[in-house]
Amino acid sequence: MNLAPILLFTYNRPSHTRQTLEALLNNKLAKESELFIFSDGYKNDNDKENVLKVRNIIHSIEGFKQVHIIENAYNFGLAKNIIEGVTQVIDKYGKMIALEDDLITSPYFLTFMNEALEKFENEEKIGHVHAFCYSNLQLPDVFLIKWAGSLGWGTWKRAWRFFNPDGQALLNELKKRNLTKKFDFNGSYPYTRMLRRQIAGINNSWAIRWNASLFLNDMLSVNAGKSLILNIGFDGSGENSGSQDIYKTLLHNGILSTDLGSIEENMEARAEFQRFYRKTHSFWAKVRRRIQRHLKI
């Protein structure tokens, strides 16, 4: 199997970075994989110490086939760092696997990702592979869905060429084709609002633009039905993450098949996502979370 290079994007969280690397090294395919680490530059003197600590950690890492370290001389921000990093590597290697510095991987993460990237490399309807899954969803081990998640993902050069960084153009096309409701899982999750906020500069999400780019090109994602990713970043330490218990999940420590039937969206899985979003993002669900956060203070 021709293994995909792994891209790790880091900033100023040495403890998270160390945990992410340690978990990744526990993957059987780690020693056969090339790792590219993109270390973003610090924004200010307050971040400088931790950025330098992260760089000390990544320069000491061993256990991969080869490690390439790219240190930004100034602060790119997460979106620019990811967009430019993915483009740089995928142009040379044709495919890649991406992680951020707060993602603990199952020992079978690289196996699932590489098998899917190899198996569906020439399947034009598929543009994305994703290894994270919400908890307590009734899903098969692997399924296809018209949605691109960003917590442990991979893609190919042939799909990445559809990435459009222009949020306004993406929104215009969604509205023109009357697709905003479907993009929002029948109104159950505000992805369109997230895109509008990116346009307004309230967020700088690369992920919402990637999601919309694939959606508008009618491309599917191969998704794990049991999570091979544990997100440890929702502790308030991240650049964009905040704190959200709804993203806590159990890490699956087993092999997941990448065998699919027909290449079409699993509508039962889409309905399950919709039920989950309605349960977790309704007005009263948000009120309950705010009360719970207040009581913890």
Side-chain angles (χ1 to χ4, degrees), residues 115-177:
E115 285 183 0
L117 287 167
E118 179 116 330
K119 184 177 292 185
F120 304 110
E121 186 165 8
N122 298 314
E123 179 48 69
E124 296 291 333
K125 292 181 180 179
I126 297 175
H128 187 78
V129 182
H130 191 222
F132 173 84
C133 188
Y134 302 113
S135 288
N136 302 317
L137 272 65
Q138 301 302 310
L139 296 166
D141 283 357
V142 64
F143 60 95
L144 290 171
I145 192 167
K146 198 174 175 182
W147 170 78
S150 60
L151 302 180
W153 63 285
T155 191
W156 304 266
K157 182 178 180 179
R158 62 163 177 79
W160 186 247
R161 67 187 175 90
F162 291 109
F163 175 68
N164 186 351
D166 187 340
Q168 186 65 63
L170 292 166
L171 178 61
N172 290 346
E173 190 65 20
L174 285 167
K175 291 165 67 176
K176 177 183 175 182
R177 291 160 59 180

Side-chain angles (χ1 to χ4, degrees), residues 290-297:
R290 286 176 183 172
I291 292 171
Q292 289 168 352
R293 284 198 296 269
H294 179 74
L295 291 174
K296 289 179 181 178
I297 295 174

Side-chain angles (χ1 to χ4, degrees), residues 8-209:
L8 174 62
F9 297 92
T10 72
Y11 182 44
N12 66 343
R13 294 187 285 181
S15 175
H16 293 72
T17 300
R18 188 183 299 279
Q19 292 177 71
T20 296
L21 285 166
E22 287 173 352
L24 193 56
L25 279 167
N26 283 331
N27 277 256
K28 184 176 72 171
L29 296 179
K31 64 180 181 295
E32 303 170 44
S33 301
E34 286 192 52
L35 175 65
F36 290 79
I37 305 177
F38 291 84
S39 169
D40 207 2
Y42 52 88
K43 293 179 184 176
N44 50 52
D45 287 341
N46 291 332
D47 289 345
K48 181 177 180 179
E49 181 180 358
N50 279 330
V51 168
L52 295 179
K53 285 181 179 179
V54 166
R55 291 181 175 179
N56 283 335
I57 290 168
I58 62 179
H59 277 283
S60 68
I61 195 70
E62 295 179 347
F64 295 93
K65 180 180 178 181
Q66 194 171 357
V67 178
H68 310 267
I69 296 174
I70 299 91
E71 296 180 351
N72 297 338
Y74 62 94
N75 184 259
F76 280 23
L78 183 61
K80 177 179 169 68
N81 201 22
I82 288 180
I83 293 167
E84 293 195 4
V86 169
T87 302
Q88 175 185 329
V89 174
I90 214 166
D91 279 349
K92 180 178 179 180
Y93 291 83
K95 58 184 176 180
M96 65 89 223
I97 296 166
L99 290 166
E100 294 176 33
D101 61 2
D102 55 4
L103 301 179
I104 302 299
T105 52
S106 161
Y108 301 98
F109 166 74
L110 289 180
T111 301
F112 175 83
M113 295 298 294
N114 277 290
E115 285 183 0
L117 287 167
E118 179 116 330
K119 184 177 292 185
F120 304 110
E121 186 165 8
N122 298 314
E123 179 48 69
E124 296 291 333
K125 292 181 180 179
I126 297 175
H128 187 78
V129 182
H130 191 222
F132 173 84
C133 188
Y134 302 113
S135 288
N136 302 317
L137 272 65
Q138 301 302 310
L139 296 166
D141 283 357
V142 64
F143 60 95
L144 290 171
I145 192 167
K146 198 174 175 182
W147 170 78
S150 60
L151 302 180
W153 63 285
T155 191
W156 304 266
K157 182 178 180 179
R158 62 163 177 79
W160 186 247
R161 67 187 175 90
F162 291 109
F163 175 68
N164 186 351
D166 187 340
Q168 186 65 63
L170 292 166
L171 178 61
N172 290 346
E173 190 65 20
L174 285 167
K175 291 165 67 176
K176 177 183 175 182
R177 291 160 59 180
N178 198 28
L179 289 173
T180 56
K181 187 174 182 180
K182 185 175 181 181
F183 186 57
D184 291 349
F185 282 82
N186 200 28
S188 63
Y189 192 93
Y191 283 115
T192 301
R193 185 178 70 179
M194 191 184 300
L195 182 59
R196 286 196 176 100
R197 289 182 172 184
Q198 186 277 321
I199 295 163
I202 298 170
N203 70 56
N204 191 25
S205 174
W206 66 271
I208 190 62
R209 288 174 282 171

Side-chain angles (χ1 to χ4, degrees), residues 203-223:
N203 70 56
N204 191 25
S205 174
W206 66 271
I208 190 62
R209 288 174 282 171
W210 175 230
N211 189 10
S213 296
L214 289 183
F215 184 88
L216 286 167
N217 283 282
D218 205 26
M219 299 183 83
L220 299 166
S221 174
V222 178
N223 274 38

